[in-house]
Amino acid sequence: MTKIVFFDVDGTLVSLNARQASDATCSAIRQLRARGIPVYIATGRDIFELMDEHLLDGVGYDGLLTNNGQTAYDARGNLLFDYPIDPREVQALVDWAEGKGLSCWLATDKSNILSRITPEVYPAMASIHTKLPPVGDIHQAARERVYKIVLFLSPEEMNDAMRHVPSGRCTQWFSRGFDIIAGSGGKAVAVQKVLSNLGLTAAEAMAFGDGDNDMEMLRLVGTGVAMGNAPDKVKTAADYVTGHVDEDGLAEALRHFGLIR
């Protein structure tokens, strides 16, 4: 029996075209919570992006897992737990990226900062229909608690980058778009911690996603649901494949499993 549900944002809760949750999706979430089933957001985005771009307007939730699970907040925005990247490795990677004149984006506990805008940045950001973070002092940002480093490189170049973050791990979201997070974190780790804190098991959880960074979460829970717009490899990690995000696939799956009407 499903007692909690986790939702990715881009391409799952929120259409990449409309940039907001549909009325059907918002209604489905309200029905879940009215039945006493907690709803948690599990996204690669950080809390500043979610709020600044109003991506969760109309969507009720009980908690937020952001930065691919590196930071967790309650519904009021209070930090519950976090997994920052080793600061020495952050500094090493920033020094390497700056030496090569690369664009480096740091998501910290205080802000989003982009070191510079290179040509690779525009198509990557356009793929997720989102605005650029502000350009700022990347060295100052590196002294804060860094939860995610975004680089706009090829897979081959990322192999070189990861040598400077040996304790980290990376996930790809565009052909030249990668997130680096602490190796001890990830969506599945954060989901498991939430479940443990609530006294629930993975078998009692359901999760929805459409991207590479959702696969481990979909495999962990009792019922993993891939959106119809997800790549085939994500669909193979799921227990059920629902409709496209633009066709209200989220509500369709919740009805299929009898969680809403």
Side-chain angles (χ1 to χ4, degrees):
M1 177 181 172
T2 297
K3 296 183 178 180
I4 187 170
V5 187
F6 297 85
F7 295 101
D8 172 50
V9 174
D10 296 282
T12 301
L13 266 178
V14 174
S15 164
L16 291 176
N17 296 313
R19 304 308 303 137
Q20 61 183 14
S22 69
D23 290 343
T25 293
C26 292
S27 174
I29 299 298
R30 285 195 298 271
Q31 290 183 63
L32 275 181
R33 300 183 74 217
R35 292 190 56 192
I37 298 175
V39 167
Y40 277 72
I41 306 302
T43 176
R45 290 185 182 268
D46 64 47
I47 194 167
F48 304 110
E49 290 179 279
L50 293 174
M51 301 308 159
D52 290 347
E53 299 193 28
H54 303 280
L55 292 173
L56 298 179
D57 285 4
V59 178
Y61 55 85
D62 299 280
L64 292 170
L65 307 180
T66 57
N67 290 313
N68 289 314
Q70 304 311 102
T71 40
Y73 302 87
D74 64 19
R76 295 181 179 180
N78 299 308
L79 184 68
L80 299 176
F81 58 83
D82 64 351
Y83 301 99
I85 303 171
D86 185 320
R88 294 166 298 182
E89 295 181 9
V90 172
Q91 191 60 62
L93 183 63
V94 166
D95 289 344
W96 173 81
E98 286 289 273
K100 290 182 170 292
L102 301 174
S103 179
C104 181
W105 169 3
L106 298 187
T108 81
D109 60 333
K110 295 182 173 62
S111 64
N112 276 316
I113 293 295
L114 188 65
S115 61
R116 60 178 52 81
I117 301 173
T118 58
E120 296 80 10
V121 173
Y122 292 109
M125 298 302 288
S127 73
I128 55 174
H129 301 260
T130 195
K131 63 183 180 181
L132 296 174
V135 174
D137 186 346
I138 200 75
H139 292 287
Q140 172 60 40
R143 291 192 284 272
E144 298 167 2
R145 289 175 76 81
V146 176
Y147 299 118
K148 183 177 66 182
I149 304 171
V150 183
L151 294 174
F152 304 88
L153 304 175
S154 69
E156 293 74 25
E157 291 169 321
M158 278 303 297
N159 290 333
D160 190 19
M162 290 305 295
R163 288 205 292 268
H164 302 278
V165 195
S167 70
R169 53 187 292 210
C170 74
T171 183
Q172 184 174 9
W173 49 270
F174 187 66
S175 57
R176 293 181 70 89
F178 289 85
D179 290 347
I180 299 174
I181 60 175
S184 57
K187 287 191 180 184
V189 171
V191 166
Q192 184 59 69
K193 189 170 182 64
V194 168
L195 294 174
S196 297
N197 289 346
L198 295 176
L200 298 173
T201 67
E204 295 173 309
M206 178 181 289
F208 286 68
D210 73 302
D212 289 12
N213 62 345
D214 297 313
M215 292 172 65
E216 61 180 19
M217 174 176 72
L218 298 181
R219 292 188 177 113
L220 170 71
V221 298
T223 307
V225 179
M227 304 301 292
N229 44 287
D232 287 342
K233 62 180 177 180
V234 177
K235 292 176 180 177
T236 60
D239 302 293
Y240 181 78
V241 178
T242 189
H244 195 286
V245 63
D246 290 324
E247 299 169 353
D248 292 322
L250 184 149
E252 173 195 319
L254 292 174
R255 283 194 297 271
H256 171 81
F257 287 103
L259 295 179
I260 66 170
R261 294 185 176 182

